[in-house]
Amino acid sequence: MSQSQPHHLVITALGVDRPGIVNTITRHVSSCGCNIEDSRLAMLGDEFTFIMLLSGSWNAITLIESTLPLKGAELELLIVMKRTNARLRPPMPDTAFIQVEVADSPHIIERFTDLIDKHQMNVAELVSRITPAQQGLPPTLYIQMTAHSPTRTSGTTFEQAFNALCQELNAQGTLRLYSVSDADSSESVSAVR
């Protein structure tokens, strides 16, 4: 890769949440001449974590690699960095958006990721959280997932398997399937209550 082409760096930071910490990091990224192309932030207990995909010249990426560890130490952050290549994502003919609400118990998320895997789909995004038990009800697990298939899948088969899993787990679930063809796109929605 030549020095004139953009270079890319993935940064993950983990630390105790406090006001202004994200602003401090993003300001440092900008001062090094890097651009934030993609980012995610999440609160996990008292900790926060964020992931950024940065782009910039070779000099800008090298500068952030050499200065961010010091900035991280000042802020008491654990920082991991890795160079990467930017690439266009290949088109995904089928996409599934899943939402589930279920009484929490071990292995629930695994059951849904296993379902996706068995249908040759890739998990692209996974968000989950547990709300504490209330008024004699058990804790509730909320799951949101996005999955893609690099090849055409049988939406009906996946939909039936999803509905069966929701019924088995006594879960409330919603599945939205999007299929994109060369000419058009279609949507199928399934909800289990």
Side-chain angles (χ1 to χ4, degrees), residues 15-31:
V16 176
D17 184 41
R18 55 187 178 274
I21 197 165
V22 174
N23 183 47
T24 302
I25 294 298
T26 57
R27 191 172 344 137
H28 184 74
V29 165
S30 296
S31 72

Side-chain angles (χ1 to χ4, degrees), residues 88-108:
L88 291 175
R89 292 183 180 159
M92 297 289 172
D94 291 333
T95 298
F97 297 100
I98 296 168
Q99 292 182 313
V100 176
E101 181 179 335
V102 63
D104 185 42
S105 67
H107 308 291
I108 296 285

Side-chain angles (χ1 to χ4, degrees), residues 31-89:
S31 72
C32 289
C34 294
N35 184 45
I36 301 171
E37 289 198 7
D38 198 354
S39 64
R40 305 282 189 278
L41 184 137
M43 297 297 303
L44 304 168
D46 290 336
E47 308 295 314
F48 86 99
T49 184
F50 68 87
I51 302 171
M52 293 182 186
L53 173 63
L54 307 181
S55 65
S57 67
W58 183 88
N59 289 340
I61 295 295
T62 301
L63 181 60
I64 196 83
E65 286 175 319
S66 63
T67 60
L68 193 57
L70 295 173
K71 183 60 76 175
E74 286 174 24
L75 300 170
E76 299 176 357
L77 294 174
L78 173 63
I79 295 183
V80 177
M81 297 178 281
K82 185 177 187 295
R83 291 234 183 178
T84 188
N85 294 312
R87 61 183 173 98
L88 291 175
R89 292 183 180 159

